[in-house]
Amino acid sequence: MTPIVKVDQLTKSFGNSKALDEVTLEIDSGEVFALLGPNGAGKTTLIRLLLGLISPTSGHAQVFGLDSWSQSVEIHKRVGWVPAEPALWPRLTGSETLTLLGNLHGSCDEPYRDQLIDRLGLDADRKVGDLSTGNRQKVALIAAFMTRPDLLVLDEPTGGLDPLRKVVFRELMNEARANGQAILLSSHMLGEVEGEADRVGLLRQAKLVRTGTLEELRVAAGPSAAGQPHGDHERSLEELFLSLYSDND
Amino acid sequence: MTKTPFAVVAGLGWRRARTGAIAWGLVFALSVVAIVAAYSAAYGTPEERQQLFRLFGANKGISALFGSPRGLDTVGGFTAWRSMGFLPLVTAAWGLVIATGALRGEEDEGRRATILAGAISRSRSTAATLTGLGLAGLLLFLITAVFTVGSALINGGFSAGDALFLTLAYCAAGPPFMALGAFTAQIAPNRRQASGIAAAVLGVAYILRIAADADASLSWLRWLTPIGWVMELRPIVDPRAWPLLLLALWTIFFGLLAIRVASGRDDEAAFLQSSSSRKPRTFLLASSLGLALRERLGGLAAWVLGTGLSMFAIGLLSKAITKVATQSGGLQKHIEQTTSNPVDISTPTGYLAVMFVFVVIVVSLHAVGHSNVTAEEEREGRSATALAAPLSRNAWLGGRVGVGLIGCLAVSLAAAIGAWLGSVVSGAGVSLLDMLGAAANMLPAVLLFLGIGFAAFAYVPRHASAIAWSAIGISYLWEQTGAVIKAPEWVLSFSPFHWVKPVPAVDPALTALFVLGIAGIVLLGLAFHRFNRRDLSSK
């Protein structure tokens, strides 16, 4: 299978500080890849590199076989992005924002957009500046999904959503996966990732320390460092996560 | 030692306003120094001074624009009249802008909630912010006072005490409008509207002041507003302190009202809450250029209207001032002293040509406003949202630069048409083509400042605003100071404004304009080059 995302020895430095250090990974078409790591591990930096918003210090990043920095415009035609903190135009309403972003993208499945507005319960006639964090997140989610992109890049996408809308979000992810769309999901919500991800990448201090299926990570982590009574196969991703990070610290 | 919460919040207000206070203090100081020096040089003899007083005193249009002339036959009287004509307006505008920014602006950004989560009440937080802003106002007063007193002592003509009272008079418009801004910040739903309401009050106050000075039977209108009370302080010629009491009462009333309203309302709530829902209006949302234009339409309309109306008023006065100039050689010398340009202002066209030497500063300020808004788009993360769509950086930046160019052209055109219409109404007989030529003569310098603003955005986005404002401020101060001290031509030539000659009264400096225009284009080119290669900063 041809990887949809291919990252090779990717490094990004800001001054003397390395935000990403020689990261190598691949994401296949139709795959849900979860990126996990503590704050400042480099998750958002990796996403911004893939979107061509920042340039690599060294190494390469390709999306759909295109260079993420020099060919970003072509890449964006097939990508939907939900940033961790959606930055939108406060004087536009939700509906106007979606019209604008649809126009900038060049394509929008309007019936699907209307369905998404309905399912996520967005009051699209309200100005974005008057929306809560969760509702702004809904606007960003709808904008990302409404173009039915080949790759969804979701950076902490459910931070402001209530539990009911998180259920809807999971449904949307599953539908996207069923449609063959790949998903790069960065999240602190380990439970959310556990049920959805085909593979997981663990970032720590700018390095990708583990990649694999959840099963592979469980095996790699070995017995519970916390001395849990149950075996490896029963350990949740959260326990695994804590175990891996405490092991490495 | 641990600071009290009140001191911390007051410190935040102080930090927010102090740089502006220093900058405006220096601009005020130089303006007063320039007025004193120009008057001393242009009106050397008692006869010339008497003639000036007689001619200006008899002209209602000039009284309306600058206030009733008093004691123009003395350095002090002239300095008070000229500075009181415009400095109180600037002080008032500064006061309301910093108050709405430090109160509603902080609330818009969610920082008020952070402050109120600490051990400070809503009322004390508002009072503390106003205390910090008030201290910044005091700093502005002190800086200006030092220069005004110094100028009085060096040039003679008025005492240090007179100079101090003059400074107090034109700075006295700040606190009432700061307090008013603090109040509108409590009742308006966002900073823009809070500033807009307070600015509308200032606009009405200014219009009432104009009416009061234009017609003696309407002079009572001066007692209705703080701007009128400031004028009634009559510094130097006929000083009286008791209108300060009215100004203090207004300041205390609106200050306390602001604190009272702040103490009783929810965070982010507003009495004048506009409806946040509406049916979609999708005009200009088809492209990045359209969005840039839509976001700037309101501001652009205000710039066009403000500049057009101001130049209309100046056009109306052009015939009367020309008449004064033909009878008083001093006015001619005065113009040459303050603009470093030898120009004949004995015709309305000549006078209006000189005015365009000042309009170029206004249009340049408009130009850098566009680059500053662009920098804010990136700071707030909205540029990343747009550029995550299949939109090239050239297209995104091109839209912003394009709207900047359209804006500068529109404001310049409004200035030309306004001046022409004013002159037509007053029967001055100025040609539209001449005014359009004067406007076109400004454009290369404006293009240069647009280029500086966008290049600063592309290379050092965090400091883009400071660099762009400083470029204009330094160029203006360079030209003004150079003119006052009669600096040699090669020194003056460093200011781009020096090359905006009073066209059509004199020939344009074509070679210099060509160089300015090319420099502007090169800087814009560099801005595109750099923006395509640098990282976008994150929110």
Side-chain angles (χ1 to χ4, degrees):
Chain A
M1 192 180 288
T2 311
I4 214 166
V5 173
K6 190 173 179 183
V7 172
D8 183 23
Q9 298 287 302
L10 192 63
T11 298
K12 180 65 184 178
S13 300
F14 296 105
N16 294 327
S17 160
K18 272 190 179 172
L20 210 62
D21 191 3
E22 297 190 346
V23 167
T24 297
L25 69 84
E26 290 184 357
I27 302 172
D28 292 328
S29 178
E31 183 181 29
V32 177
F33 186 92
L35 207 51
L36 291 175
N39 293 334
K43 303 186 296 293
T44 298
T45 300
L46 176 55
I47 286 174
R48 290 172 69 82
L49 281 162
L50 290 176
L51 291 169
L53 299 175
I54 55 178
S55 61
T57 305
S58 63
H60 303 280
Q62 288 188 332
V63 182
F64 309 122
L66 302 166
D67 181 72
S68 68
W69 174 248
S70 61
Q71 295 172 294
S72 60
V73 174
E74 281 303 306
I75 291 170
H76 293 165
K77 289 177 183 169
R78 300 170 63 188
V79 173
W81 174 44
V82 178
E85 289 180 54
L88 305 168
W89 295 267
R91 290 198 291 277
L92 298 185
T93 64
S95 171
E96 290 163 357
T97 304
L98 294 172
T99 300
L100 170 72
L101 293 175
N103 286 338
L104 290 181
H105 198 271
S107 70
C108 169
D109 183 340
E110 290 186 7
Y112 184 49
R113 177 195 64 193
D114 295 342
Q115 191 194 104
L116 289 168
I117 290 173
D118 191 44
R119 287 172 71 183
L120 282 165
L122 174 71
D123 180 355
D125 288 337
R126 287 192 73 190
K127 286 184 194 165
V128 166
D130 294 328
L131 293 178
S132 65
T133 308
N135 279 309
R136 281 201 294 271
Q137 198 85 21
K138 289 178 191 173
V139 176
L141 275 169
I142 295 166
F145 278 84
M146 70 183 183
T147 60
R148 295 190 184 276
D150 293 327
L151 173 64
L152 282 155
V153 179
L154 312 174
D155 191 359
E156 310 282 352
T158 61
L161 296 186
D162 60 52
L164 286 176
R165 305 304 169 192
K166 280 181 183 168
V167 172
V168 175
F169 169 72
R170 279 210 189 96
E171 290 169 7
L172 294 176
M173 287 234 301
N174 287 332
E175 289 166 15
R177 178 156 54 178
N179 289 335
Q181 294 167 269
I183 298 173
L184 171 58
L185 173 65
S186 157
S187 179
H188 285 129
M189 317 288 277
L190 302 177
E192 177 177 277
V193 167
E194 192 167 18
E196 309 300 330
D198 297 316
R199 282 193 305 140
V200 175
L202 297 180
L203 275 166
R204 177 177 168 268
Q205 292 176 356
K207 287 180 181 289
L208 191 66
V209 292
R210 291 273 197 285
T211 315
T213 63
L214 192 55
E215 196 54 39
E216 287 166 350
L217 291 183
R218 283 183 175 129
V219 171
S224 167
Q228 298 292 326
H230 44 62
D232 286 344
H233 289 280
E234 291 165 317
R235 292 168 70 192
S236 71
L237 184 58
E238 185 163 5
E239 287 168 333
L240 193 63
F241 185 82
L242 292 171
S243 155
L244 279 168
Y245 281 98
S246 59
D247 286 352
N248 284 290
D249 282 336
Chain B
M1 198 175 82
T2 309
K3 287 182 180 174
T4 64
F6 188 94
V8 171
V9 177
L12 289 172
W14 157 258
R15 286 163 66 99
R16 186 184 175 98
R18 66 183 172 187
T19 308
I22 293 169
W24 281 113
L26 290 173
V27 169
F28 286 11
L30 188 80
S31 300
V32 174
V33 170
I35 291 168
V36 172
Y39 182 86
S40 303
Y43 307 99
T45 67
E47 293 72 31
E48 284 175 324
R49 295 179 178 190
Q50 282 290 340
Q51 189 185 31
L52 174 81
F53 192 9
R54 206 170 47 247
L55 293 169
F56 271 3
N59 192 292
K60 286 185 178 174
I62 291 169
S63 292
L65 199 61
F66 299 112
S68 299
R70 289 190 185 88
L72 299 194
D73 50 349
T74 64
V75 180
F78 184 81
T79 305
W81 177 65
R82 284 293 286 115
S83 53
M84 291 297 287
F86 68 102
L87 291 186
L89 293 174
V90 180
T91 324
W94 178 76
L96 75 87
V97 165
I98 61 163
T100 53
L103 292 165
R104 186 53 77 163
E106 288 294 290
E107 197 168 338
D108 289 346
E109 296 297 326
R111 288 191 284 266
R112 180 179 187 252
T114 308
I115 295 288
L116 292 179
I120 188 165
S121 68
R122 289 182 288 270
S123 54
R124 283 181 67 77
S125 163
T126 308
T129 302
L130 285 175
T131 303
L133 300 184
L135 288 173
L138 186 63
L139 176 67
L140 186 155
F141 167 77
L142 290 174
I143 291 170
T144 318
V146 166
F147 282 87
T148 307
V149 170
S151 189
L153 294 178
I154 292 166
N155 284 279
F158 57 112
S159 68
D162 281 343
L164 259 185
F165 190 71
L166 171 62
T167 313
L168 182 64
Y170 58 70
C171 288
F177 282 91
M178 196 183 283
L180 180 71
F183 172 65
T184 60
Q186 306 309 318
I187 61 170
N190 55 52
R191 179 187 179 173
R192 268 165 71 102
Q193 291 190 27
S195 300
I197 296 166
V201 174
L202 175 59
V204 169
Y206 180 55
I207 289 167
L208 289 178
R209 205 280 295 151
I210 286 177
D213 286 313
D215 188 337
S217 68
L218 296 175
S219 62
W220 58 273
L221 289 173
R222 219 178 282 129
W223 293 103
L224 297 182
T225 71
I227 292 296
W229 301 337
V230 165
M231 300 306 280
E232 284 297 337
L233 290 168
R234 302 181 182 183
I236 296 184
V237 178
D238 180 21
R240 43 190 186 173
W242 63 266
L244 285 173
L245 186 65
L246 294 173
L247 292 161
L249 285 174
W250 170 291
T251 304
I252 291 167
F253 175 75
F254 278 105
L256 289 177
L257 196 59
I259 292 167
R260 171 83 181 144
V261 175
S263 71
R265 69 174 177 86
D266 295 344
D267 189 48
E268 296 190 20
F271 177 69
L272 298 175
Q273 194 74 53
S274 58
S275 170
S276 70
S277 287
R278 65 155 188 254
K279 290 293 160 201
R281 299 174 196 157
T282 55
F283 73 101
L284 293 174
L285 292 182
S287 66
S288 171
L289 171 66
L291 175 69
L293 190 57
R294 177 169 159 151
E295 291 279 297
R296 298 288 288 157
L297 265 186
L300 182 56
W303 274 92
V304 166
L305 203 65
T307 310
L309 284 175
S310 302
M311 287 307 283
F312 177 77
I314 288 169
L316 274 178
L317 286 176
S318 60
K319 196 174 171 185
I321 291 189
T322 303
K323 196 174 157 191
V324 173
T326 52
Q327 295 172 36
S328 163
L331 185 58
Q332 178 77 39
K333 276 196 276 181
H334 187 160
I335 292 288
E336 289 172 9
Q337 185 76 20
T338 49
T339 66
S340 82
N341 280 299
V343 57
D344 177 13
I345 58 161
S346 62
T347 64
T349 302
Y351 172 69
L352 290 173
V354 169
M355 290 299 105
F356 274 91
V357 171
F358 297 102
V359 175
V360 67
I361 299 164
V362 174
V363 187
S364 300
L365 289 171
H366 175 78
V368 303
H370 287 275
S371 55
N372 292 345
V373 167
T374 304
E376 189 185 346
E377 281 291 291
E378 181 170 359
R379 213 164 38 242
E380 294 295 322
R382 290 188 288 268
S383 60
T385 304
L387 288 167
L391 175 71
S392 72
R393 293 191 180 202
N394 280 339
W396 183 83
L397 186 59
R400 304 265 149 193
V401 172
V403 171
L405 288 169
I406 292 168
C408 292
L409 283 172
V411 176
S412 303
L413 201 60
I417 293 173
W420 172 70
L421 278 176
S423 72
V424 166
V425 171
S426 68
V430 171
S431 119
L432 176 60
L433 211 58
D434 278 347
M435 292 299 96
L436 290 175
N441 179 55
M442 303 187 298
L443 293 177
V446 171
L447 186 62
L448 175 72
F449 285 107
L450 192 74
I452 290 172
F454 276 102
F457 156 72
Y459 282 88
V460 271
R462 282 173 195 273
H463 304 292
S465 295
I467 290 171
W469 292 127
S470 302
I472 292 180
I474 291 168
S475 300
Y476 166 72
L477 293 178
W478 193 273
E479 171 72 357
Q480 272 277 298
T481 313
V484 169
I485 65 170
K486 296 192 185 307
E489 181 69 13
W490 69 268
V491 173
L492 291 169
S493 67
F494 283 107
S495 168
F497 293 134
H498 182 65
W499 298 108
V500 182
K501 301 294 179 190
V503 170
V506 301
D507 290 335
L510 286 177
T511 309
L513 292 181
F514 180 75
V515 172
L516 291 180
I518 292 294
I521 291 167
V522 167
L523 284 167
L524 285 174
L526 287 172
F528 279 93
H529 179 266
R530 177 64 188 154
F531 186 61
N532 271 296
R533 283 156 183 80
R534 74 163 168 84
D535 294 345
L536 284 189
S537 48
S538 52
K539 191 177 179 183

